[in-house]
Amino acid sequence: EVQLVESGGGLVQAGGSLRLSCAASGFTFADYAIGWFRQAPGKEREGVSCISISDDTYTDGDTHYMGSVKGRFTISSDNAKNTVYLQMNSLQPEDTAVYYCAADTSGYECSYLLGDSAHFGSWGQGTQVTVSS
């Protein structure tokens, strides 16, 4: 059974930084992707970033970002720890949301997967990020 556990959320002032972690377990497939999504009150869930984990060195580490976070957020993975990180810098009040990590084992590219949360079959419980102005 796939399990995902997020951590690292909190309250930060505008311009500050946070690093979210997503600890994954229960994977039995060689190729999967981890996506970060967020959902603000009254808004739909949106994709933030995605990273591919693969034995294929060509696709391993492939990343994709939503436009508004490019240059501010960085996704990375520590495969030995089965953990994916989302480093968030220059945070703004509009980044306030519950952040979720999710896993997909279809092998599709992140640029495709991040466009629809329905592609991801397993989800964590979420972690709150609040950015004050």
Side-chain angles (χ1 to χ4, degrees), residues 36-47:
W36 283 99
F37 289 79
R38 67 187 183 186
Q39 188 164 20
K43 295 187 177 181
E44 293 186 355
R45 189 171 297 187
E46 62 178 0

Side-chain angles (χ1 to χ4, degrees), residues 5-16:
V5 179
E6 303 99 332
S7 62
L11 173 65
V12 65
Q13 289 186 334

Side-chain angles (χ1 to χ4, degrees), residues 1-3 25-28:
E1 179 184 359
V2 175
Q3 291 187 331
S25 62
F27 287 103
T28 58

Side-chain angles (χ1 to χ4, degrees), residues 2-131:
V2 175
Q3 291 187 331
L4 303 169
V5 179
E6 303 99 332
S7 62
L11 173 65
V12 65
Q13 289 186 334
S17 299
L18 284 174
R19 189 178 78 157
L20 305 182
S21 299
C22 174
S25 62
F27 287 103
T28 58
F29 299 94
D31 296 296
Y32 60 94
I34 297 292
W36 283 99
F37 289 79
R38 67 187 183 186
Q39 188 164 20
K43 295 187 177 181
E44 293 186 355
R45 189 171 297 187
E46 62 178 0
V48 175
S49 184
C50 177
I51 187 167
S52 295
I53 313 295
S54 174
D55 291 338
D56 184 339
T57 55
Y58 181 77
T59 56
D60 184 46
D62 174 54
T63 60
H64 190 75
Y65 298 90
M66 176 177 67
S68 66
V69 307
K70 283 182 179 179
R72 300 189 298 125
F73 292 10
T74 302
I75 192 170
S76 63
S77 69
D78 184 335
N79 294 355
K81 296 182 178 180
N82 290 335
T83 301
V84 170
Y85 303 98
L86 185 67
Q87 178 67 43
M88 306 185 295
N89 298 329
S90 302
L91 284 162
Q92 299 301 315
E94 51 266 35
D95 294 316
T96 295
V98 178
Y99 283 70
Y100 301 89
C101 67
D104 169 78
T105 55
S106 68
Y108 288 123
E109 294 183 356
C110 275
S111 57
Y112 168 73
L113 295 171
L114 200 59
D116 189 346
S117 63
H119 293 308
F120 292 81
S122 300
W123 291 80
Q125 82 288 351
T127 185
Q128 176 71 46
V129 171
T130 303
V131 185

